[in-house]
Amino acid sequence: MILIQVTARAPGKVILFGEHAVVHGKPAIAVAVDRLAHVTLTGRTDSIIRAEISRLGVDGYLNLENETINTQGYQIEVGLLKYVLKALKAVDHRTEPGTGLDVTVDIEMPVASGLGSSAAVTVATLAAASKYHQLNLKPKAISSLAHLVELEVQGAASPIDTTLSTYGGVIYLSPDVQEIVRLPIDWDLPLVIGHTRRQGNTGELVESVRLKKESYPSVINPIFESIQEVTEEARNALLEKDENKLGELMNINHGLLDALGVNTPALSRMVYLARQKGALGSKITGAGGGGSIIAYCPEKMDEVISELQKEEQAFPVKLRHEGVTCNVIE
Ligand code: PMV
């Protein structure tokens, strides 16, 4: 029996414009970033599937038949193994029952922080397993299977994260058909991410915005309309590499997210510290309520990072043009 080893890598993402409004039929723009999830599958001679996320101290056994995970660790980190299990199950074409695997996961981004760690892990697992079982699934199949895995594990999910983890690049989610358009952005789009340890709960935040809209439709609907206009303008600013306009639109989008009630004192402090240190623009990214901010500060990356690091975690990212990649060692 030849035991092969397959490693796949898939990028995380940030939402640049349009979060929350996208849930109400408005457009959004999101970008794949150069923080990756690495998933390695190594064949075993027994029937055990053992999974490990060593950086998070998670280690356990997966049972594909009854879909159980036997493990130790913190709940959120262990939760990532659910994506691994569902993804392995989705492409489990074992001819000999009894073929085990060692699965090692390494993640270069904080989890549950709006950076798409679960989608990156799911896409990398699917790509690695597809290669391992010699199915060689095309990106389109990986992307849609990954979206199904996210739906199964989370109950609800937009296809933004899984699309970016699969294809890389920048996407525009159009409002009418919720169709995904890839934007031809050929520059690096350097960003600083500021990340607070407090995690926002996306489902609860989406629900709180929906309730606000129900209570004050004449106030909240125009905010969604404004976010739509910001996103449309930002699409042109990105295509034309108009950096000042991009920054200003980020600031406006942040104000509108604040008005929707998803800001927190820690996020707000990071947003304004970044601007004080020379960011052209800064805003919450993703659901808010905790999680992360992004700052666009191409000339001031170091200054902004060291200022944010005084209170929270901060690191640089840039656009990752490449999507999921795979290599095999026999
Ligand atoms: O924090 P994230 O990356 O899960 O983003 C949530 C974005 C929302 O617009 C708030 C919800 C959604 O499903 O689009």
Side-chain angles (χ1 to χ4, degrees), residues 13 15 18-23 113-116 156-158 160-161 202 205-206 285-288:
K13 68 92 193 25
I15 297 181
E19 51 273 269
H20 284 290
V22 70
V23 178
S113 59
L115 302 183
S158 89
I160 294 178
D161 295 19
T202 301
L205 288 150
V206 166
T285 182

Side-chain angles (χ1 to χ4, degrees), residues 48 83 109 138 171 178 201 234 261:
I48 289 169
Y83 297 88
M109 65 197 108
K138 299 268 180 293
I171 58 172
Q178 291 284 307
N201 179 318

